[in-house]
Amino acid sequence: EAGVVQSPRYKIIEKKQPVAFWCNPISGHNTLYWYLQNLGQGPELLIRYENEEAVDDSQLPKDRFSAERLKGVDSTLKIQPAELGDSAVYLCASSLGYGVDTQYFGPGTRLTVL
Amino acid sequence: SQKIEQNSEALNIQEGKTATLTCNYTNYSPAYLQWYRQDPGRGPVFLLLIRENEKEKRKERLKVTFDTTLKQSLFHITASQPADSATYLCALRGDSNYQLIWGAGTKLIIKP
């Protein structure tokens, strides 16, 4: 069974440029999560989807971050414009359905904003 | 405020010994607690889940305990091996908050 796929693995951009991350969850997983992880810290939830509905986006900085999950499968997270402080690892995870306990993570996208 | 604490200092253990990692929390009444392993450049990988009504859970060389009175979980790796070296994260979900809250992780180093 294929795991959670993320691309790109690494991205380096200048500040004020836009950037997008893509995630393909495990087949059949209804719930998709985007996390941000800084070095030496645990993941911090940005947004959670149940199928195509964003059910928890309270920690997503909506002035510059946006996300979508068309057809309840793949998802894209966008930052526009990027700031220096956005440098971090962006992790995507999926689970069978909310309330089912185990989350499966992709390898993450390491973003560096110069 | 709600808080999860894991030892921020790396834990160095001799191969073959038991490694014990600690996860403390405050202002939570978690329905369950999970432990994940994270290797450099990779996402966390689920290891074990323990529910509030369970005292102990085992999986091969891994054992997790959960003391809701002390508000603490202990994660044990017996007969540790260098391949067990990684960062171990605990994560909690409360009854009334569906969000999974993560600790910062403890780096475990097993020396041959």
Side-chain angles (χ1 to χ4, degrees):
Chain A
E1 179 183 276
V4 176
V5 179
Q6 288 188 250
S7 68
R9 289 294 315 275
Y10 305 92
K11 189 75 176 179
I12 301 174
I13 60 172
E14 299 279 338
K15 63 180 180 181
K16 301 185 181 180
Q17 294 299 305
V19 65
F21 314 124
W22 175 80
C23 174
N24 178 241
I26 292 173
S27 177
H29 280 196
N30 295 321
T31 306
L32 184 146
Y33 312 79
W34 282 103
Y35 288 94
L36 176 156
Q37 187 175 29
N38 287 304
L39 189 64
Q41 301 296 316
E44 300 171 31
L45 182 69
L46 291 172
I47 190 167
R48 172 172 64 86
Y49 283 93
E50 294 290 334
N51 297 303
E52 64 270 14
E53 182 183 359
V55 295
D56 185 354
D57 63 355
S58 58
Q59 298 187 68
L60 188 73
K62 298 182 184 63
D63 57 336
R64 297 183 301 106
F65 286 64
S66 64
E68 61 181 9
R69 190 184 184 196
L70 299 176
K71 300 181 182 178
V73 182
D74 295 0
S75 178
T76 302
L77 178 69
K78 297 178 182 177
I79 307 175
Q80 183 172 10
E83 297 179 352
L84 295 176
D86 296 332
S87 295
V89 174
Y90 291 83
L91 293 164
C92 178
S94 68
S95 65
L96 275 171
Y98 203 66
V100 176
D101 308 288
T102 301
Q103 294 185 21
Y104 296 83
F105 284 81
T109 298
R110 180 176 295 278
L111 174 67
T112 301
V113 182
L114 302 176
Chain B
S1 62
Q2 297 173 328
K3 212 175 189 182
I4 301 175
E5 289 184 347
Q6 293 186 256
N7 196 336
S8 58
E9 292 184 8
L11 182 63
N12 287 274
I13 299 292
Q14 196 66 37
E15 181 178 8
K17 302 292 186 184
T18 296
T20 299
L21 286 71
T22 304
C23 177
N24 295 300
Y25 60 94
T26 57
N27 298 325
Y28 277 114
S29 295
Y32 61 74
L33 184 149
Q34 301 182 49
W35 283 89
Y36 286 74
R37 168 184 173 142
Q38 187 171 25
D39 291 283
R42 297 186 176 272
V45 174
F46 172 77
L47 296 174
L48 280 168
L49 178 149
I50 186 165
R51 299 188 185 277
E52 59 179 338
N53 60 349
E54 297 174 319
K55 296 290 186 186
E56 182 179 297
K57 205 78 166 286
R58 291 175 184 263
K59 179 183 175 183
E60 299 172 351
R61 296 184 295 110
L62 309 181
K63 184 179 85 171
V64 172
T65 62
F66 195 8
D67 189 325
T68 55
T69 301
L70 291 179
K71 294 187 181 298
Q72 181 181 78
S73 174
L74 299 178
F75 176 82
H76 307 271
I77 305 176
T78 59
S80 59
Q81 304 165 2
D84 295 325
S85 298
T87 295
Y88 291 84
L89 301 155
C90 69
L92 300 175
R93 192 182 105 169
D95 277 335
S96 59
N97 183 344
Y98 291 131
Q99 186 179 126
L100 201 60
I101 308 298
W102 296 79
T106 298
K107 185 174 182 178
L108 176 65
I109 301 168
I110 307 298
K111 296 182 175 180

